[in-house]
Amino acid sequence: MAGKGTGRSGLLAELAVVSRRYMASYALFNQAVADRIGLHPTDLQCLNLLTLEAEPVTTGRVAELTGLTTGSATRLVDRLERAGYVVRRRDAADRRRVLVATVPERIAEFGRMWEALAGDWSRIFDELDDDELAVIVRHMARTVEFSGEQIARLRDRSRG
């Protein structure tokens, strides 16, 4: 590892290196999975986020989830629809709204494929106790929040 310091500074230096390796390995894994099923990596992650939503969403919500413009989100939904992972349907409560809904059979198929490709990833946590798992969960939640803030900041700069 690149961190040669001791104590906290050494751990933070090591964390900086391992975090970069972690992000790169996940991005490369995501690309490999996307390639395997014929999707763009962004489309794959959008599909992932859609499966976490409790109900069908608007294309505007897809844009919020992904940080894309509404035009780009519309094209992304078009691609997912052509691939059979989502359908568009009118909102029963407001016929003017169009909702994007996942196709349960395709999502189940996607889930089985994901499990087969990822293997039993949960085994990497076997040696951790509940307190250690709680730290990881807290870290990941904070990272998601921080990343969202940084994405917004970067997108604001590129517009200005």
Side-chain angles (χ1 to χ4, degrees), residues 4-117:
K4 296 203 189 278
T6 59
R8 186 173 182 85
S9 66
L11 286 171
L12 288 172
E14 188 174 349
L15 179 60
V17 171
V18 76
S19 292
R20 290 175 58 196
R21 290 186 192 283
Y22 174 83
M23 288 184 285
S25 70
Y26 186 80
L28 294 169
F29 175 74
N30 184 62
Q31 179 69 59
V33 172
D35 289 348
R36 178 75 173 265
I37 64 174
L39 292 177
H40 185 278
T42 301
D43 299 3
L44 175 64
Q45 287 310 310
C46 178
L47 186 59
N48 173 42
L49 292 170
L50 288 173
T51 65
L52 298 173
E53 293 291 302
E55 301 288 330
V57 300
T58 64
T59 303
R61 177 68 178 144
V62 171
E64 289 173 15
L65 289 169
T66 59
L68 296 171
T69 64
T70 53
S72 293
T74 297
R75 289 187 295 279
L76 188 157
V77 171
D78 290 344
R79 291 189 302 271
L80 288 176
E81 189 172 38
R82 277 193 304 275
Y85 287 103
V86 301
V87 293
R88 287 180 169 102
R89 64 179 189 221
R90 293 272 175 209
D91 184 344
D94 181 352
R95 301 287 299 159
R96 295 170 296 176
R97 284 180 11 138
V98 175
L99 299 175
V100 177
T102 57
V103 176
E105 301 81 20
R106 292 288 284 164
I107 297 304
E109 184 181 307
F110 170 74
R112 287 189 299 274
M113 181 276 315
W114 185 266
E115 287 174 17
L117 292 176

Side-chain angles (χ1 to χ4, degrees), residues 101-158:
T102 57
V103 176
E105 301 81 20
R106 292 288 284 164
I107 297 304
E109 184 181 307
F110 170 74
R112 287 189 299 274
M113 181 276 315
W114 185 266
E115 287 174 17
L117 292 176
D120 185 17
W121 70 273
S122 64
R123 69 182 158 75
I124 66 175
F125 303 111
D126 285 349
E127 66 188 44
L128 303 178
D129 64 30
D130 290 353
D131 290 338
E132 291 170 313
L133 284 174
V135 168
I136 292 170
V137 169
R138 192 169 64 247
H139 163 72
M140 292 181 105
R142 290 175 66 188
T143 299
V144 168
E145 183 180 328
F146 179 77
S147 294
E149 293 166 0
Q150 295 307 307
I151 290 167
R153 183 179 62 82
L154 290 167
R155 292 193 191 282
D156 285 347
R157 274 197 191 153
S158 68

